[in-house]
Amino acid sequence: MSVVPFLRAFWDDPWEGMTAPSRLFDQAFGDVLSADDFLPPTMWRGMVVTPRVQRPPQLSGMSEVVNNEKEFRVGLDVRQFKPEEINIKTRDNRVVVHGKHEERPDEHGFIMREFTRQYVLPKDVDPNALTSSLSVDGMLTIKAPKMALPEAKERSVPITHEAA
């Protein structure tokens, strides 16, 4: 049995059958580590426990892709970049997000950041319909509505009779 038909179907449309949002975490692009990130694990009732300081929930470095019947949407945390340091473009059936800032001082010295992230667009999304917005807290949102599929036209199919 060949796996080529299976792989070909996957290569044709990577979004086929994807129903739940997809998230990528720990893309902090050089965020500063807190003191509790350096604490060693401790033993508590026979279990290894890593102490954590209670911090407010945050989405630092998170990327989320939503592909449902209404829209295709990407949310990306780019708070370390100024709006003019971010570039979004489409290439073939992909959207490419690139961010770069030159070396600048921070709490620990100097840092330079750069990233490129590419997302494959579903077949039913028009690359020309993409829009983007950047929130005050640094969340970049790229979205596009799904194209309406052409309605099925009704057509009568005549029955031909064969002579015996």
Side-chain angles (χ1 to χ4, degrees):
M1 179 175 167
S2 174
V3 295
V4 173
F6 171 74
L7 294 175
R8 185 174 295 137
F10 177 75
W11 286 326
D12 286 346
D13 187 4
W15 297 107
E16 189 74 30
M18 184 173 205
T19 57
S22 174
R23 294 183 178 148
L24 297 173
F25 293 94
D26 295 331
Q27 301 179 70
F29 303 124
D31 272 353
V32 177
L33 297 173
S34 66
D36 66 316
D37 290 324
F38 296 103
L39 295 175
T42 59
M43 295 297 288
W44 180 71
R45 293 188 186 179
M47 298 180 352
V48 175
V49 177
T50 303
R52 288 283 177 198
V53 175
Q54 193 70 319
R55 289 187 251 177
Q58 58 185 0
L59 300 177
S60 178
M62 189 180 93
S63 170
E64 179 179 25
V65 177
V66 176
N67 182 31
N68 58 34
E69 63 278 351
K70 294 181 182 179
E71 69 178 351
F72 172 78
R73 182 177 70 240
V74 174
L76 182 61
D77 180 2
V78 293
R79 71 179 74 173
Q80 295 86 3
F81 298 89
K82 296 176 185 173
E84 60 271 11
E85 297 171 337
I86 302 168
N87 182 353
I88 304 167
K89 61 185 173 184
T90 58
R91 184 182 310 139
D92 300 324
N93 66 333
R94 295 175 290 158
V95 59
V96 180
V97 183
H98 181 258
K100 179 179 181 178
H101 71 71
E102 297 303 321
E103 188 175 277
R104 61 178 150 193
D106 69 357
E107 306 83 60
H108 301 284
F110 293 87
I111 189 162
M112 189 275 296
R113 295 180 181 97
E114 181 176 14
F115 78 96
T116 301
R117 180 156 299 283
Q118 298 183 35
Y119 301 92
V120 176
L121 293 172
K123 290 180 182 178
D124 53 353
V125 169
D126 180 9
N128 297 320
L130 283 172
T131 61
S132 66
S133 63
L134 183 61
S135 69
V136 177
D137 63 347
M139 285 301 293
L140 177 67
T141 303
I142 304 167
K143 62 182 178 178
K146 294 287 184 97
M147 293 186 294
L149 297 174
E151 292 183 26
K153 296 179 182 178
E154 188 174 311
R155 168 177 95 85
S156 293
V157 179
I159 300 172
T160 57
H161 298 281
E162 296 179 8

